Amino acid sequence: MAANLKTQTFITRMPDKPGAFMLATKIITKHQGNIIRVSFNKAVDFHMLFVEVRADEEALHNITKELLQIGYLENDISDSRVIVVNIKMKDEPGSLYPVLKILDRYDINISYINSNEEDGEYQNFKMGLLIENPALIKCVLDDISEIYPIDIITYAEEEPNLDNTIFYIRIGNEIQRLFDLSTEKTMEFICESNRVFQMLQDRGETPNKVFEYVLHLAKFMSKYRGERFQPDISRYQLTAKVALHVIEPPCGSNTYILEAADELLFIDTGFAIYAEEMLNIFQRLFPNFATLKKKILITHADVDHCGLLSVIDADIYLNEKSAQSFQKQRQNLMDFREENIFCLGYSRLSRIFSNYVPPDPARFKLIGEGVAKEHRELLQIGTFTFADLSLEIYEGSGGHLYGEMVFLCREPWLLFTGDIYINVKGLTKERSEFNSLAPYLMTSVNVNSQYAKEMRKAVFELLPEKQRCLICSGHGAVEIINDQ
């Protein structure tokens, strides 16, 4: 029975005489209603009382009918709503004014208000908002949530048009707790969540499904921090001078590290959210990590591959297209991933979740300057030497992402594919679960599926027919082909 209970706020006008409220209470109790909150707003009407009642639908209907009969309700306000919200504001003069302006704009009255200070920096204002036109509730909440973090304490659950608004406000508060986000980052998250929801709803997806995936993504990333960050780590001796270290995290891209006598070459760096955990791993693998020379190559400019670019002190070798994408990120513009509307929300959410900071362009070392802006082939744009290895650098057409690159060594055979190719069969249960989330939120992980298909074919045409070769994909375990 409890599952069928609903909450309704009755805006009553009672006569100024003893026993008036007792009569209302008697009616409510008779129909098994439970009064859970009572307040009044002198500014609205000295005799107006707000009575919030929890009961089943039939009981609420009967209570409404009897309160009308005794003149405590008026038909013209029977459709009014009171929603209770908590608004977090800076503890400084004038903070409340923008909220009051919004309420005045929509002709909303405050049924009650109280506040308490939080750590001397913020105040929490708890307000009951009397909204006589239910159609305005969503507009009021959306406008307030654009300037302050807001939590919805109670609202009429029969208002279906509020589902999305209520959710992304509440999920914003959940994300703030999961990732210890600042107020500004939380507000940014709420805006970007709404963008994802709107895009997916336009595809005909149900809100509950959307919410489930976004929350799952956030909780998944948060779950594997600290001691729970347990990546698979493996080592391959490639030549007498060079070893390859492979770090496969629970979520995010693989990180590959080529090690020579006094230097390291990173190929991709994973999510920034795991920066501390990754730095601890580097220290374990290389006790003299701080003194080693370091360089970084990236396969493409997605945030799950480039999270530690701003953490590791090293020159970054990249092509012009990837450099342009990073420049856009630093200017808070849409990068090449986000220019695709289906990727925009996911990419921005990942930035917020992972505390991503775009790298400093002063550290860029450009490869293949002057390469054609548009091309359909897998085009060699340069070479890179590390110890006794020579890497051929190829630029793809942009099927997965504009600026994507592949690195090939022929002696010994070694291929880094980025996300042009993913070893799906080599994914653990956790990594497979994480990789299944992005395609849902973005429709596709590829910017251009046809180009991506062509690039996968072109990459495999680089492979030798008989010689042993290690294939190092963006996600999934290392594959060894032609292994005798």
Side-chain angles (χ1 to χ4, degrees):
M1 181 72 175
N4 296 320
L5 297 183
K6 295 186 175 183
T7 300
Q8 181 173 332
T9 300
F10 293 93
I11 302 101
T12 68
R13 286 194 175 94
M14 300 185 184
D16 185 15
K17 63 182 183 181
F21 179 58
M22 184 175 67
L23 178 57
T25 302
K26 185 177 180 181
I27 291 171
I28 294 168
T29 303
K30 181 176 72 172
H31 295 289
Q32 274 47 151
N34 182 27
I35 298 175
I36 59 176
R37 183 179 287 107
V38 178
S39 63
F40 90 105
N41 187 352
K42 184 176 180 180
V44 177
D45 189 323
F46 188 78
H47 303 295
M48 180 176 286
L49 208 67
F50 300 86
V51 184
E52 192 169 343
V53 178
R54 183 172 292 140
D56 62 40
E57 191 168 354
E58 182 180 358
L60 291 173
H61 172 76
N62 290 331
I63 292 168
T64 302
K65 183 178 177 181
E66 288 202 35
L67 290 177
L68 278 169
Q69 287 174 350
I70 64 172
Y72 279 19
L73 295 181
E74 295 183 16
N75 287 315
D76 61 347
I77 65 167
S78 62
D79 210 21
S80 300
R81 299 285 188 273
V82 172
I83 61 171
V84 183
V85 300
N86 188 79
I87 306 172
K88 187 175 181 179
M89 307 178 196
K90 280 278 190 181
D91 191 8
E92 58 189 25
S95 292
L96 183 58
Y97 183 68
V99 175
L100 298 179
K101 282 185 66 177
I102 291 171
L103 299 181
D104 181 66
R105 183 192 314 152
Y106 291 106
D107 197 23
I108 305 299
N109 286 305
I110 299 173
S111 64
Y112 60 92
I113 183 171
N114 61 58
S115 70
N116 64 282
E117 191 176 57
E118 179 183 302
D119 300 328
E121 186 178 357
Y122 291 95
Q123 279 200 5
N124 291 299
F125 280 82
K126 187 176 180 180
M127 294 184 179
L129 305 180
L130 170 62
I131 302 177
E132 297 189 16
N133 181 357
L136 294 179
I137 299 176
K138 184 178 184 336
C139 300
V140 173
L141 295 179
D142 284 345
D143 284 4
I144 294 176
S145 69
E146 286 181 4
I147 58 173
Y148 290 131
I150 181 173
D151 197 7
I152 315 302
I153 299 173
T154 61
Y155 76 104
E157 296 179 1
E158 66 270 18
E159 296 290 340
N161 65 321
L162 284 184
D163 284 350
N164 287 359
T165 296
I166 297 297
F167 177 81
Y168 62 68
I169 287 173
R170 286 181 172 173
I171 195 179
N173 298 323
E174 173 83 4
I175 295 301
Q176 185 176 39
R177 289 188 288 269
L178 282 174
F179 296 95
D180 195 26
L181 298 182
S182 67
T183 299
E184 292 73 22
K185 281 286 186 182
T186 304
M187 299 303 297
E188 182 184 350
F189 171 82
I190 290 173
C191 292
E192 296 306 331
S193 292
N194 189 28
R195 194 191 306 264
V196 176
F197 302 154
Q198 292 299 326
M199 180 271 289
L200 289 174
Q201 281 187 309
D202 289 345
R203 292 171 49 207
E205 301 290 353
T206 60
N208 287 343
K209 202 176 199 183
V210 176
F211 305 162
E212 175 189 343
Y213 273 82
V214 174
L215 267 177
H216 193 54
L217 175 67
K219 290 178 179 178
F220 193 96
M221 292 178 66
S222 177
K223 181 170 78 170
Y224 288 102
R225 291 180 297 175
E227 293 182 357
R228 297 201 64 177
F229 186 77
Q230 297 289 336
D232 289 332
I233 301 175
S234 51
R235 182 183 184 277
Y236 301 83
Q237 190 68 43
L238 301 179
T239 68
K241 294 183 177 181
V242 179
L244 170 65
H245 299 266
V246 183
I247 302 174
E248 301 173 58
C251 57
S253 76
N254 293 343
T255 294
Y256 298 98
I257 309 172
L258 293 170
E259 177 193 14
D262 62 347
E263 61 180 337
L264 303 174
L265 173 63
F266 290 80
I267 298 177
D268 291 345
T269 63
F271 269 127
I273 190 175
Y274 306 120
E276 184 177 345
E277 292 86 345
M278 290 289 282
L279 287 172
N280 289 336
I281 290 172
F282 300 158
Q283 293 286 354
R284 292 203 305 269
L285 292 176
F286 318 108
N288 57 338
F289 179 74
T291 61
L292 291 173
K293 300 174 185 175
K294 306 174 191 70
K295 298 176 181 177
I296 303 175
L297 280 169
I298 64 162
T299 59
H300 60 292
D302 272 343
V303 295
D304 64 323
H305 288 251
C306 300
L308 272 68
L309 294 187
S310 295
V311 177
I312 301 170
D313 185 14
D315 288 336
I316 303 167
Y317 292 80
L318 72 174
N319 55 357
E320 193 169 0
K321 297 178 178 68
S322 295
Q324 291 171 0
S325 199
F326 289 133
Q327 292 277 19
K328 289 173 178 287
Q329 292 173 4
R330 289 180 67 85
Q331 297 169 24
N332 203 30
L333 301 174
M334 291 188 294
D335 63 20
F336 292 132
R337 166 69 63 193
E338 294 163 356
E339 285 178 355
N340 184 323
I341 188 62
F342 293 111
C343 301
L344 175 58
Y346 171 78
S347 180
R348 288 293 175 97
L349 290 177
S350 296
R351 288 203 216 179
I352 300 168
F353 286 168
S354 64
N355 198 29
Y356 171 77
V357 177
D360 183 356
R363 295 165 48 208
F364 292 172
K365 303 292 182 183
L366 292 182
I367 301 169
E369 293 182 73
V371 175
K373 184 176 180 181
E374 305 289 344
H375 57 85
R376 290 286 290 269
E377 69 270 28
L378 188 64
L379 185 67
Q380 184 171 357
I381 63 171
T383 58
F384 189 92
T385 301
F386 179 80
D388 58 353
L389 300 186
S390 178
L391 299 176
E392 299 171 6
I393 299 177
Y394 294 84
E395 182 179 284
S397 60
H400 179 72
L401 180 65
Y402 194 62
E404 62 196 5
M405 289 187 289
V406 168
F407 312 123
L408 174 69
C409 178
R410 296 178 185 266
E411 180 94 18
W413 281 93
L414 178 67
L415 176 65
F416 298 94
T417 69
D419 284 358
I420 289 179
Y421 168 69
I422 291 176
N423 179 14
V424 177
K425 292 182 179 179
L427 293 171
T428 62
K429 179 182 177 182
E430 291 80 7
R431 293 170 197 132
S432 181
E433 183 180 358
F434 174 77
N435 281 9
S436 71
L437 296 174
Y440 179 83
L441 290 172
M442 294 194 297
T443 303
S444 171
V445 295
N446 297 314
V447 173
N448 186 311
S449 295
Q450 180 57 39
Y451 282 18
K453 183 178 180 181
E454 295 170 0
M455 287 303 99
R456 280 194 297 275
K457 180 180 178 182
V459 163
F460 277 95
E461 288 175 351
L462 296 173
L463 295 175
E465 291 185 5
K466 297 181 179 180
Q467 293 97 324
R468 181 178 186 268
C469 180
L470 270 65
I471 304 176
C472 303
S473 58
H475 304 261
V478 171
E479 293 180 77
I480 305 175
I481 64 168
N482 303 325
D483 189 4
Q484 301 305 313

